[in-house]
Amino acid sequence: MSPTISTDLIRGHTTTIILNILRQGDSYGYEIYKKILALSGNQYELKEATLYTAFRRLEKEACIESYWGDETQGGRRKYYRITAKGKERYQHSKREWNFAKEILDRLIQGGLEDEEGSKSTGS
Amino acid sequence: MSPTISTDLIRGHTTTIILNILRQGDSYGYEIYKKILALSGNQYELKEATLYTAFRRLEKEACIESYWGDETQGGRRKYYRITAKGKERYQHSKREWNFAKEILDRLIQGGLEDEEGSKSTGS
DNA sequence: CATATTACTTTGACAGACATAGTAATATGC
DNA sequence: GCATATTACTATGTCTGTCAAAGTAATATG
């Protein structure tokens, strides 16, 4: 139920995740919230406050645009659309992620092998 | 020279990185600083302030212990040693990293294929 | 003896994630 | 009709990790 991923490991990725979802079509807050939960296999819940904070950040940076949906009379929804700048930003972030992944793997996994069930080296 | 990895992508990993280095033997601040720089192929520079902040955090949590080196007369060095708790913590963080990696890959890379050179879909 | 390098420390700023709380509309059950 | 749950968005303030900046101090180098 609650996220298994510590919040610090997510930091800096939320905008990339949001942009990636919007690449696949316009969407609104709650839907994106649900989508992330589902995509992560219920392992990661992006909190609403974080999500809407990210929207505002991304909109200010012209990476996304918003418009109110048609259901004006009820359940108003604010839709977000990714812009050209947003797409560039996504590609850049994705590259950065793949790059960071390699380096972090080296820094985190590198060095000693795990001694856990060390049953090798029989001499 | 300056880090290619944005600081937010590192967040939460510094302690794991430090613990991993200490797993390979006692070391001191400056050496660890250099080691990280080298291990990352000069792509990531963990700033000193961050490093020493992390030491204090880790020591408070009993994941590492410190002692002053023998070179008391000059170039005093404070060595750090990983504790049992620190080793556990490392294993846990490593697992978490490998787990987060998968989920983040799904969230960041998943969905649309890159349309970069989209030369398909005729008619 | 000035400068560079090694080596550690402290203070304060900043940004992103989130807790909390609130608004408001629709749907569901009684 | 009314309480409750769910959908959907917003605003305020807190916390934490990273880092800039500045300082101390010793050794090595020219």
Side-chain angles (χ1 to χ4, degrees), chain A residues 4-6 8-13 16-17 20-21 23-25 35-41 43-44 87 90-91 93-116, chain B residues 4-6 8-13 16-17 20-21 23-25 35-41 43-44 87 90-91 93-116:
Chain A
T4 324
I5 299 189
S6 109
D8 275 327
L9 299 199
I10 286 300
R11 198 175 176 116
H13 295 297
T16 314
I17 292 170
N20 188 30
I21 291 178
R23 281 198 322 142
Q24 295 155 63
K35 227 170 219 175
I36 291 174
L37 198 60
L39 278 169
S40 74
Q43 297 304 306
Y44 176 61
K87 288 179 194 174
Y90 165 77
Q91 293 296 340
S93 300
K94 197 179 86 167
R95 260 178 258 124
E96 200 177 36
W97 158 243
N98 283 310
F99 182 66
K101 223 184 349 175
E102 268 183 54
I103 294 188
L104 282 171
D105 262 335
R106 227 180 305 157
L107 290 171
I108 292 174
Q109 328 248 25
L112 294 181
E113 294 310 309
D114 281 335
E115 346 132 324
E116 306 217 60
Chain B
T4 325
I5 299 188
S6 111
D8 275 328
L9 299 199
I10 288 299
R11 198 173 177 121
H13 295 297
T16 314
I17 292 171
N20 188 31
I21 291 178
R23 281 197 322 145
Q24 295 156 63
K35 227 170 220 174
I36 290 174
L37 199 58
L39 278 170
S40 73
Q43 297 304 308
Y44 176 61
K87 286 179 194 172
Y90 165 78
Q91 293 296 340
S93 300
K94 196 179 87 165
R95 259 178 259 123
E96 200 178 36
W97 158 242
N98 283 310
F99 182 66
K101 222 184 350 174
E102 267 182 55
I103 293 188
L104 281 172
D105 263 335
R106 227 179 306 156
L107 290 171
I108 291 174
Q109 328 247 27
L112 293 181
E113 294 309 309
D114 281 335
E115 351 131 320
E116 309 221 57

Side-chain angles (χ1 to χ4, degrees), chain A:
Chain A
M1 218 185 205
S2 74
T4 324
I5 299 189
S6 109
T7 145
D8 275 327
L9 299 199
I10 286 300
R11 198 175 176 116
H13 295 297
T14 49
T15 57
T16 314
I17 292 170
I18 293 170
L19 288 176
N20 188 30
I21 291 178
L22 288 180
R23 281 198 322 142
Q24 295 155 63
D26 297 6
S27 190
Y28 57 94
Y30 206 70
E31 195 180 43
I32 294 177
Y33 167 84
K34 293 276 196 177
K35 227 170 219 175
I36 291 174
L37 198 60
L39 278 169
S40 74
N42 288 319
Q43 297 304 306
Y44 176 61
E45 181 195 9
L46 183 67
K47 303 296 154 48
E48 277 183 82
T50 310
L51 184 62
Y52 289 107
T53 304
F55 280 150
R56 243 150 272 141
R57 212 186 312 134
L58 283 167
E59 199 164 18
K60 198 158 58 177
E61 294 167 7
C63 288
I64 59 174
E65 291 165 349
S66 66
Y67 57 94
W68 286 98
D70 262 8
E71 49 290 271
T72 333
Q73 72 284 28
R76 79 257 149 78
R77 292 170 177 169
K78 199 184 216 173
Y79 284 86
Y80 292 93
R81 178 197 302 129
I82 190 169
T83 64
K85 196 179 169 196
K87 288 179 194 174
E88 278 172 45
R89 171 74 166 271
Y90 165 77
Q91 293 296 340
H92 180 266
S93 300
K94 197 179 86 167
R95 260 178 258 124
E96 200 177 36
W97 158 243
N98 283 310
F99 182 66
K101 223 184 349 175
E102 268 183 54
I103 294 188
L104 282 171
D105 262 335
R106 227 180 305 157
L107 290 171
I108 292 174
Q109 328 248 25
L112 294 181
E113 294 310 309
D114 281 335
E115 346 132 324
E116 306 217 60
S118 62
K119 44 152 67 184
S120 51
T121 54
S123 91

